[in-house]
Amino acid sequence: MAEPPRRSSLGAGGSAAVAAAVAVAEALPLRARLSFAAGHFLNDLCASLWFTYLLLYLHAVLGYSHRLAGGLLLAGQVADGLCTPLLGYEADRSAGCGRYGRRKSWHLAGTTCVLVSFPFIFSPCLGCKENTPQWAAFIYYLPFIVIFQFGWAATQISHLSLIPELVTSDHEKVELTAFRYAFTVMANITVYGLAWLLLNLQVDQPERTEHLGIQDVPVFRNLSLIVVGLGAVFSLIFHLGTKEKPYPLGSLPQPESTPLLQKEPARCPRPLLAWKDWLLEPAFYQVAVLYMATRLIVNLSQTYIAMYLTNSLLLPKKYIATIPLVLYVSGFLSSFLMKPVNKWIGRNLTYFVGILVILAFASWVTLTRTMGAEIYGAAALLGAGSATILVTSLSMTADLIGTNTHSGAFVYGAMSFTDKMANGLAVMAIQNLHPCPTELCCPACVSFYHWVMVLVTGGIAMAATVSLCCIMIWPIRVRFHDVSLQGLNEARISYNETESTEERSPSSMVN
């Protein structure tokens, strides 16, 4: 008599233990996580200079008008916004250069563009003189800005798209995103520390070091060169230490590979979520709006904090380095709390806590017209809140992508498109509302930048809260694609069962 099959001694608990062991075995080692995080260091260094000092450099140092400075920043944001989704689409379709991974190939191309173009943006116009019209300077800087933004977008999208490919666990995604943001904060700390050092080394003209002017051109030129050299070293670490999984074109299962005859009805394999399918998903737009609001808070506060310090609070120019430094130190420290806090209270409540901190900063600025040492406390609040909402929003984007990593670059590209376009248009609108279009700063700009800081933090934080409420009511998940696939599979199974019944019925009649 045949012995009945024995039940596995592992049971449910044993299966869970095996799954946990597999997850531990597949966890990304610390060295790989650090090398991955280093891959966006160059972008972060350049972004810190771009958002914090570009308007200040073009207007206060080179003497260009507010509208020209805002127009150049808007041109860069538009170029970045247009390049990002296109690069995301192409990055998902390409197979990489030879045996080099497709994400790392785009990362290398983007890094090269950034290295060759960025130093020219923070250097004086070559060939321009005092009587050169400002539109000529605009034409001069525009190609360098477009090349830089193309390279920046290629590096950003390829780097973000690696997150769901390197790790699969939700908590590991949060941890990897936190590592990435920690390097972002370190990059900003590096930029502001170097800026403080270079500004304090101006000992040849001590009577002119309290306010920015044409004498500070070497400071920003040297700062951009140091940033590019340091970022190139970290990019090399990324390419040497990060191992991308092979993903050649044509490796995905095609419909033709499915057997024509099957012994029993089987559920068809789930088709891949293409870029067109994302446009039909409500969750895609939910996350896009939240991510856009998050980036508006982070980038606009970073852009106008220097203007607020020098024009509204009337602080010496050394504060344009020390206050952002405090802001990002607090962000750096809070980024390490993201994983346990997300585990404890979840994504949505973590984001809400960050919004409350941002609102506390906005309330502080609203109620206080003049600040002394207390500005450091306000900066610490803004840094902690910005870090919290940025890390959480990126984790939500990774949750939306899930296992659809083949189209992850398009998702990140679309998110970044909304971010760049909104930031560029917001900056241009603020620059056009400036009450002093011809002077460096008139008395009216004292209150102008005060209310700009309140609105770009507190006002946008309220809009982000509304978007977060929508996500709490309708959680992030792929809806319509799953429904259509379920209906398609059920129809195919029903069709297969009908065919098998029709094949059996003639034989039963003959018997």
Side-chain angles (χ1 to χ4, degrees):
M1 185 175 178
E3 191 174 300
R6 298 180 181 177
R7 294 179 60 87
S8 173
S9 59
L10 290 175
S15 301
V18 171
V22 171
V24 171
E26 294 179 352
L28 208 62
L30 178 62
R31 185 177 63 179
R33 281 177 283 176
L34 290 174
S35 63
F36 165 80
H40 207 253
F41 197 70
L42 172 63
N43 263 23
D44 294 328
L45 291 170
C46 295
S48 179
L49 264 174
W50 173 267
F51 283 111
T52 307
Y53 294 132
L54 181 68
L55 293 181
L56 200 67
Y57 172 72
L58 292 174
H59 185 66
V61 178
L62 297 183
Y64 294 133
S65 67
H66 287 286
R67 291 187 177 180
L68 183 137
L72 284 174
L73 194 145
L74 174 62
Q77 295 301 103
V78 169
D80 192 2
L82 294 177
C83 288
T84 299
L86 297 177
L87 286 170
Y89 176 72
E90 287 297 325
D92 287 332
R93 294 175 65 247
S94 63
C97 298
R99 299 180 64 182
Y100 214 54
R102 57 174 182 162
R103 307 301 188 196
K104 290 177 65 178
S105 297
W106 279 101
H107 188 282
L108 182 61
T111 300
T112 304
C113 291
V114 171
L115 292 176
V116 299
S117 62
F118 190 73
F120 290 95
I121 299 174
F122 281 89
S123 298
C125 172
L126 298 177
C128 294
K129 300 178 182 179
E130 293 184 2
N131 57 351
T132 302
Q134 292 196 2
W135 60 263
F138 183 89
I139 295 175
Y140 171 83
Y141 284 109
L142 187 60
F144 295 114
I145 288 176
V146 171
I147 295 172
F148 161 67
Q149 293 292 358
F150 172 85
W152 201 96
T155 305
Q156 181 202 35
I157 294 304
S158 58
H159 195 258
L160 283 172
S161 303
L162 274 173
I163 294 178
E165 293 190 8
L166 293 176
V167 294
T168 55
S169 168
D170 287 343
H171 296 303
E172 284 183 333
K173 290 176 184 177
V174 173
E175 187 177 24
L176 204 58
T177 306
F179 267 92
R180 185 179 184 272
Y181 187 75
F183 270 75
T184 300
V185 175
M186 289 173 59
N188 282 274
I189 292 172
T190 302
V191 169
Y192 300 135
L194 289 171
W196 178 85
L197 183 63
L198 292 173
L199 288 171
N200 280 273
L201 286 177
Q202 289 181 317
V203 294
D204 55 335
Q205 296 174 320
E207 73 279 297
R208 300 177 63 186
T209 56
E210 287 299 317
H211 303 286
L212 289 170
I214 193 66
Q215 73 276 359
D216 296 303
V217 166
V219 172
F220 291 94
R221 181 186 61 226
N222 296 336
L223 184 58
S224 65
L225 293 174
I226 295 172
V227 158
V228 166
L230 191 60
V233 174
F234 277 83
S235 296
L236 181 63
I237 294 174
F238 164 77
H239 282 276
L240 293 178
T242 303
K243 307 299 180 185
E244 183 181 356
K245 298 176 183 178
Y247 201 94
L249 289 177
S251 61
L252 301 175
Q254 302 297 329
E256 290 80 0
S257 62
T258 306
L260 295 176
L261 298 176
Q262 296 181 357
K263 293 183 179 180
E264 57 183 8
R267 197 172 284 272
C268 298
R270 174 177 176 145
L272 298 173
L273 199 64
W275 69 271
K276 297 178 182 179
D277 300 322
W278 286 113
L279 302 178
L280 302 176
E281 292 294 334
F284 177 79
Y285 299 98
Q286 287 178 285
V287 176
V289 172
L290 188 71
Y291 183 78
M292 179 186 67
T294 302
R295 280 295 186 180
L296 280 173
I297 294 172
V298 174
N299 293 342
L300 291 180
S301 63
Q302 186 178 0
T303 300
Y304 285 101
I305 187 69
M307 300 288 196
Y308 171 66
L309 294 171
T310 57
N311 295 327
S312 292
L313 299 182
L314 305 177
L315 296 172
K317 67 181 181 182
K318 67 178 182 179
Y319 280 87
I320 68 173
T322 56
I323 295 302
L325 185 62
V326 171
L327 191 150
Y328 276 95
V329 166
S330 64
F332 176 77
L333 296 176
S334 62
S335 66
F336 290 104
L337 299 176
M338 291 300 101
K339 183 179 179 181
V341 171
N342 269 271
K343 258 186 176 180
W344 183 36
I345 62 176
R347 299 265 203 276
N348 295 337
L349 289 180
T350 302
Y351 190 93
F352 184 67
V353 169
I355 286 293
L356 291 179
V357 177
I358 296 289
L359 291 174
F361 167 82
S363 302
W364 194 340
V365 172
T366 303
L367 299 174
T368 309
R369 287 289 183 148
T370 59
M371 290 191 191
E374 60 267 27
I375 186 62
Y376 291 101
L381 284 179
L382 181 59
S386 298
T388 302
I389 62 176
L390 184 57
V391 170
T392 309
S393 64
L394 287 172
S395 301
M396 289 179 175
T397 307
D399 291 341
L400 174 68
I401 295 172
T403 58
N404 299 292
T405 57
H406 55 281
S407 56
F410 171 79
V411 176
Y412 282 117
M415 300 297 161
S416 188
F417 173 78
T418 61
D419 147 40
K420 300 303 186 302
M421 296 300 293
N423 274 281
L425 293 174
V427 168
M428 197 62 199
I430 293 172
Q431 293 299 107
N432 283 326
L433 292 173
H434 198 281
C436 316
T438 58
E439 302 178 28
L440 290 181
C441 186
C442 62
C445 76
V446 175
S447 60
F448 175 75
Y449 286 115
H450 172 85
W451 290 111
V452 164
M453 283 303 298
V454 173
L455 291 176
V456 301
T457 54
I460 302 176
M462 296 299 295
T465 305
V466 175
S467 177
L468 179 65
C469 291
C470 294
I471 291 179
M472 296 178 74
I473 297 173
W474 297 285
I476 300 172
R477 69 180 182 88
V478 177
R479 292 179 174 87
F480 289 112
H481 191 253
D482 286 341
V483 171
S484 62
L485 290 179
Q486 182 180 359
L488 180 62
N489 286 331
E490 289 176 355
R492 287 177 176 173
I493 291 173
S494 175
Y495 176 74
N496 291 335
E497 289 176 351
T498 304
E499 277 193 331
S500 60
T501 303
E502 291 177 352
E503 289 175 357
R504 287 196 302 268
S505 51
S507 59
S508 60
M509 291 174 64
V510 170
N511 291 335

